[in-house]
Amino acid sequence: MSADVVAWPPETVARYRAAGHWRGQTFGALLTALAAAHAERTAVVGGETRWTYAELDERAHRIAAGLAESGVRAGDRVLVQLPNVPEFLPVVFGLWRLGVWPVFALPAHRDSELRHIAGQAEAVAVITVGEHERHDHAATARAVAGAVPSLRAVHVVGSAEFGDLSAARPRELPDPDPAGVAFLQLSGGTTGLPKLIPRTHDDYLYSVRESMRICALTPDSVYLAALPAAHNYPLSSPGVLGALHAGAKVVLAPRPDADTVFPLIEAERVTITGVVPPLAAAWVQAAGRTGHDLSSLDVLLVGGAKCGRELAERIGPALGCRLQQVFGMAEGLVCYTRLDDPDEIVLGTQGRPISPDDEIRVVDPDDPLAASTDVVPDGAVGALLTRGPYTIRGYYRAGGHNEVAFTPDGFYRTGDLVRRTATGHLEVVGRVKEQINRGGEKVAAEEVENHLMAHPDVLDAAVVAVPDAYLGERTCAYVVPADGAAPTGVQLRRFVRERGVAAFKVPDLVRVVDAFPVTGVGKTSKRDLRAALAAHEKEG
Ligand code: OOB
């Protein structure tokens, strides 16, 4: 692997191979095997489209050939910004067959994020859609291509050009190195813009295989992707990849609301899906008044943000299915409650790791650079560190940042505050990282602060989380105006939006103050800002 990617130490690689975790299979080879085993079974349903495994496989071959003809080469990066359309799958498998790394942008990302991601990855092309949910993705992609020198092409799914590309004659392609990088995922981010996460065929397929097993997927399962499939959770926990690996049927929902999803659950006899807590709450509400038959639903995964006990208890009775909690991160580690765990565990914890080789350390929460040996006793709250067969050892091209995000012995500092039970289950109780978890959508405080500070009337900005009954958390931006200026909340929110950021990052609340409270060393005290906000909310 190149110097841009931090590899696992050779002795660790040998251990993961010997344990059978890393099997030397690529995603392309996996799809070939699936097409042979399940040729005529339905692989994917989305809108009016239904493709069998054989059709999916052939499309992936054609797209790989078409992209190769367009000049894309193994090791190149291609930015993929696709909502839940069926083409997502052949595009991604096509890129994998070529050894090209998809870079997974979310549909919500806009100019600012896309430029950053494409620039960091030095992507050579963008694959996107035209108009979707009232946003012209193709126009945004072209603007980004104009600003990022490495970008040579924009392919728009549904266009005539894309039609030609995906009609190319399949050709023999050498299988890429399974130990090499397969794609770049995005981090939720804590500092500035999202970091790129290099995942290999070997490591990711291990997590997909085990997720499929833990979630009991079989060829008779029907997995519904309600959240955007490019996100690590619906992609692999167990997600569309876990479902395909099992030979199951994947149903892509264009939107996650109950009015869209419930008819799909009924029509396709969906057995399993995954949502974030606010969506679970909305589905629970909607289930009471729906005429739709949800009886096929066996398992609802809930994760991405903390699922509180109250909500956890309502899911089974309201939706007539089992709850499975999932706590994961794009950097690697994924924990699940198991389907045969007692209620106490399923309702009250976020599960336990996938792998016996996931190493978990709960360390001193007050030291941001705590060593992996500074552990707290079981039952005490500490900062979660982890290392294992599908957790990265470093972000892509992020030398300096890696020194704080990872311990010298290779543990990832998740930034999550957890308690570990004597049984090895984790309960997520909070966070040390400067990130707001807006119902599963992650907002890096610093990124939004930087946008606010670009406003000429803003002297200083600090973004903190406000507790919210529906989303869990919302964002509040505290702003100190420049001399004599008096920007309003409405103006500042519009300003951030017009800088081309994902809508979920526009501050929910804006408070203009004269000065920030400071800590002993003169840093802005976010703790005091949160306390002031709590007091303010209480006053009403
Ligand atoms: C998933 O991945 P990311 O990368 O968007 O976010 C990871 C972060 C975690 O570090 C934690 O802060 C939070 O999201 N989180 C949870 C949680 N699941 C994720 N916090 C509390 N309870 C949970 N159950 O969000 C993700 C990736 C794979 C599977 C599931 C979620």
Side-chain angles (χ1 to χ4, degrees), residues 327-525:
F327 161 50
M329 52 208 69
E331 286 81 357
L333 180 70
V334 180
C335 300
Y336 294 98
T337 57
R338 304 304 199 258
L339 294 171
D340 57 359
D341 274 341
D343 279 356
E344 246 343 273
I345 300 277
V346 174
L347 300 172
T349 78
Q350 279 62 58
R352 62 184 166 84
I354 286 179
S355 173
D357 286 317
D358 280 321
E359 298 172 73
I360 297 291
R361 299 271 197 281
V362 183
V363 302
D364 179 0
D366 295 319
D367 178 1
L369 292 178
S372 62
T373 48
D374 294 343
V375 292
V376 302
D378 275 354
V381 171
L384 172 66
L385 309 184
T386 187
R387 185 169 78 171
Y390 58 98
T391 296
I392 56 164
R393 294 298 183 110
Y395 291 103
Y396 183 62
R397 295 186 173 167
H401 180 66
N402 285 339
E403 283 170 28
V404 291
F406 295 83
T407 65
D409 52 347
F411 281 85
Y412 168 54
R413 298 185 193 279
T414 67
D416 292 312
L417 285 175
V418 302
R419 205 190 326 255
R420 181 167 47 181
T421 66
T423 53
H425 292 85
L426 298 179
E427 187 195 340
V428 182
V429 298
R431 194 168 50 235
V432 280
K433 58 191 171 192
E434 290 234 1
Q435 188 183 75
I436 294 97
N437 191 334
R438 211 175 163 281
E441 292 186 305
K442 314 302 183 318
V443 181
E446 190 185 319
E447 180 182 350
V448 181
E449 288 159 8
N450 288 337
H451 284 298
L452 287 162
M453 283 187 2
H455 193 289
D457 292 343
V458 172
L459 182 68
D460 204 356
V463 174
V464 297
V466 206
D468 181 76
Y470 179 59
L471 290 173
E473 292 179 352
R474 284 187 301 160
T475 51
C476 178
Y478 276 92
V479 167
V480 178
D483 271 349
T488 65
V490 173
Q491 286 167 345
L492 290 172
R493 298 185 67 228
R494 186 186 316 130
F495 177 76
V496 173
R497 190 176 308 110
E498 285 174 356
R499 284 175 63 82
V501 303
F504 66 81
K505 293 181 189 166
V506 176
D508 294 296
L509 298 173
V510 179
R511 299 251 186 279
V512 180
V513 295
D514 294 336
F516 290 149
V518 288
T519 64
V521 287
K523 289 202 289 185
T524 299
S525 170

Side-chain angles (χ1 to χ4, degrees), residues 3-19:
D4 297 331
V5 176
V6 185
W8 284 265
E11 58 282 7
T12 310
V13 170
R15 189 154 56 85
Y16 293 157
R17 289 206 175 118

